[in-house]
Amino acid sequence: MFSEEQERLKEQILQLKKEKDAVIFAHYYTRPEIQDIADFIGDSLALAQQATRVRANILIMCGVHFMGETMKILCPEKKVLVPDMAAGCSLADSCRAEDLAAFKAEHPDHMVVSYVNTTAEVKALTDVVVTSSNAKKIIDQLPAEQKIIFGPDYNLGSYINSVTGRNMLLWNGACHVHSRFSLEALLQLKKKYPGVKVLAHPECKAPILAQSDVIGSTKALLDYAIGSEEKQFIIATESGILHEMQKACPEKTFIPVPPEITEGVGCSCNECEYMRMNTLEKVYACLRDEQPEMIVNKETAAKAISSIERMLRMS
Ligand code: 13P
Ligand code: SF4
């Protein structure tokens, strides 16, 4: 499945990783070959939790920028490396700290709950961070009368409003991958595979979620596929997760929902191009040169850490 060059690079990375006592973390949406060389693969919550538990001094975060930033904030004394600093996130980009600060000022009686897909500056303005794994659990622990601003993902926010009965004020941000799944294609798949369960990430739009049987984080969807007796699943999330699903359940079939085809808007696949910026070549160079290194402004990190630690305590 992998080229000779890829296999050679994998060997070199594993050797260098051992020599330098480095630990590689990868998100489920990264390329299969990156997941294969990782020590830990996880969703955003698991990666943040795991980072606080390892003893190694060099941590490599194969994911997107905000994941490396979160890791550095949680482990300030460690060297956190990211293979490509330009691997961003359209969702994090949809909420600028100055805009959130202005919105907060207009609603002084609201607390701010932010999705982990945000910059360190946004986390510094946040009372508690959540991920798709723990958002419901954390919101449920807040007093019923507490007014809440939730951002930046509008789809996740409305889903959490619907399952908690809250009326959080929602930021109008979205992930360009998850908001693009085609309802028409999903309905056709459901017709073609009657009775097959649909597993969706809560960043998908409401009409997609309304057609889904299981809604959860990447890890929750994976766990469901592993634990279920069923043999086929329709998947509405970034296609990188299929690698781990297929590896864990070789006898099962995973059918990805395609995105809407929009002329001139990125690619017409359900891949996050930012996650795919992590390549074996870049991981090797990053291990060898010990850069690019994630640096977070100390003042920002000092403010952001309380909202992240509060999330870890409430998870
Ligand atoms: P998870 O929290 O499920 O890992 O999702 C992160 C993400 O970026 C989804 O697009
Ligand atoms: Fe961000 Fe969407 Fe990529 Fe997740 S899939 S990292 S939310 S752009």
Side-chain angles (χ1 to χ4, degrees), residues 58-61 79-83 286 290-294:
I58 299 182
L59 312 182
I60 302 187
M61 180 65 236
K79 189 177 259 189
V80 175
L81 305 172
V82 291
C286 150
E290 298 191 18
Q291 55 175 308
E293 185 180 353
M294 177 59 73

Side-chain angles (χ1 to χ4, degrees), residues 29 64 89-91 117 175-178 203 272 274-275:
Y29 293 165
V64 292
C89 167
S90 56
L91 181 51
N117 297 43
C175 156
H176 72 300
V177 179
H178 286 88
E203 287 174 23
C272 171
Y274 302 115
M275 289 283 186

Side-chain angles (χ1 to χ4, degrees), residues 16-36:
L16 205 51
K17 181 165 78 83
K18 213 161 150 197
E19 279 166 34
K20 298 206 173 195
D21 188 27
V23 175
I24 301 180
F25 296 77
H27 189 271
Y28 291 120
Y29 293 165
T30 52
R31 296 166 186 270
E33 62 270 25
I34 298 290
Q35 297 188 39
D36 288 349

Side-chain angles (χ1 to χ4, degrees), residues 5 19 66 106 120 123 143 151 155 172 192 224 236 253 256 274 307:
E5 170 63 5
E19 279 166 34
F66 77 80
E106 285 168 25
K123 290 187 178 79
N155 297 328
N172 195 16
K192 188 169 170 194
Y224 182 86
T253 308
Y274 302 115
S307 60

Side-chain angles (χ1 to χ4, degrees), residues 9-300:
L9 268 170
K10 276 192 194 176
E11 286 297 313
Q12 287 178 324
I13 291 168
L14 296 179
Q15 180 62 31
L16 205 51
K17 181 165 78 83
K18 213 161 150 197
E19 279 166 34
K20 298 206 173 195
D21 188 27
V23 175
I24 301 180
F25 296 77
H27 189 271
Y28 291 120
Y29 293 165
T30 52
R31 296 166 186 270
E33 62 270 25
I34 298 290
Q35 297 188 39
D36 288 349
I37 46 123
D39 298 285
F40 298 104
I41 315 170
D43 64 4
S44 320
L45 176 63
L47 292 171
Q49 286 171 326
Q50 198 58 47
T52 61
R53 295 181 193 134
V54 297
R55 289 227 296 273
N57 283 321
I58 299 182
L59 312 182
I60 302 187
M61 180 65 236
C62 301
V64 292
H65 192 275
F66 77 80
M67 294 178 178
E69 229 176 29
T70 306
M71 188 172 268
K72 181 66 186 176
I73 294 168
L74 284 168
C75 313
E77 73 293 351
K78 308 221 165 168
K79 189 177 259 189
V80 175
L81 305 172
V82 291
D84 192 330
M85 277 289 171
C89 167
S90 56
L91 181 51
D93 287 349
S94 64
C95 184
R96 294 188 321 164
E98 54 268 45
D99 298 335
L100 178 63
F103 194 63
K104 243 181 106 161
E106 285 168 25
H107 301 92
D109 54 344
H110 284 59
M111 72 180 279
V112 178
V113 177
S114 292
Y115 194 28
V116 69
N117 297 43
T118 42
T119 60
E121 288 76 18
V122 165
K123 290 187 178 79
L125 295 167
T126 295
D127 296 291
V128 59
V129 169
V130 297
T131 74
S132 48
S133 284
N134 58 23
K136 179 178 182 310
K137 185 174 179 186
I138 291 180
I139 303 287
D140 278 342
Q141 291 172 62
L142 303 174
E145 63 286 359
Q146 176 65 58
K147 292 180 180 169
I148 301 169
I149 293 171
F150 182 92
D153 194 64
Y154 183 86
N155 297 328
L156 174 65
S158 25
Y159 170 68
I160 297 296
N161 269 346
S162 73
V163 292
T164 59
R166 300 263 178 171
N167 187 21
M168 302 186 295
L169 265 185
L170 306 180
W171 196 263
N172 195 16
C175 156
H176 72 300
V177 179
H178 286 88
S179 58
R180 221 167 48 188
F181 285 111
S182 160
L183 179 61
E184 204 188 319
L186 173 58
L187 295 175
Q188 278 170 12
L189 284 175
K190 286 181 74 159
K191 224 188 233 169
K192 188 169 170 194
Y193 301 98
V196 171
K197 293 245 165 75
V198 179
L199 279 48
H201 196 281
E203 287 174 23
C204 296
K205 284 182 181 164
I208 296 281
L209 297 182
Q211 293 293 331
S212 302
D213 302 285
V214 181
I215 299 170
S217 72
T218 42
K219 173 82 169 78
L221 302 184
L222 174 66
D223 287 348
Y224 182 86
I226 293 172
S228 165
E229 301 272 289
E230 284 136 273
K231 296 286 178 233
Q232 286 186 311
F233 305 88
I234 296 172
I235 308 294
T237 189
E238 211 271 1
S239 59
I241 188 72
L242 301 180
H243 179 64
E244 198 54 27
M245 285 179 166
Q246 206 65 78
K247 219 162 134 182
C249 318
E251 77 292 0
K252 300 185 183 178
T253 308
F254 301 98
I255 306 147
V257 180
E260 278 161 2
I261 313 286
T262 319
E263 287 287 321
V265 179
C267 70
S268 58
C269 55
N270 48 10
E271 291 179 357
C272 171
E273 62 268 42
Y274 302 115
M275 289 283 186
R276 309 279 153 161
M277 288 167 85
N278 295 281
T279 60
L280 288 175
E281 288 79 3
K282 289 181 201 169
V283 174
Y284 177 71
C286 150
L287 245 177
R288 183 194 58 205
D289 306 338
E290 298 191 18
Q291 55 175 308
E293 185 180 353
M294 177 59 73
I295 305 289
V296 183
N297 171 288
K298 283 209 168 71
E299 217 176 290
T300 309

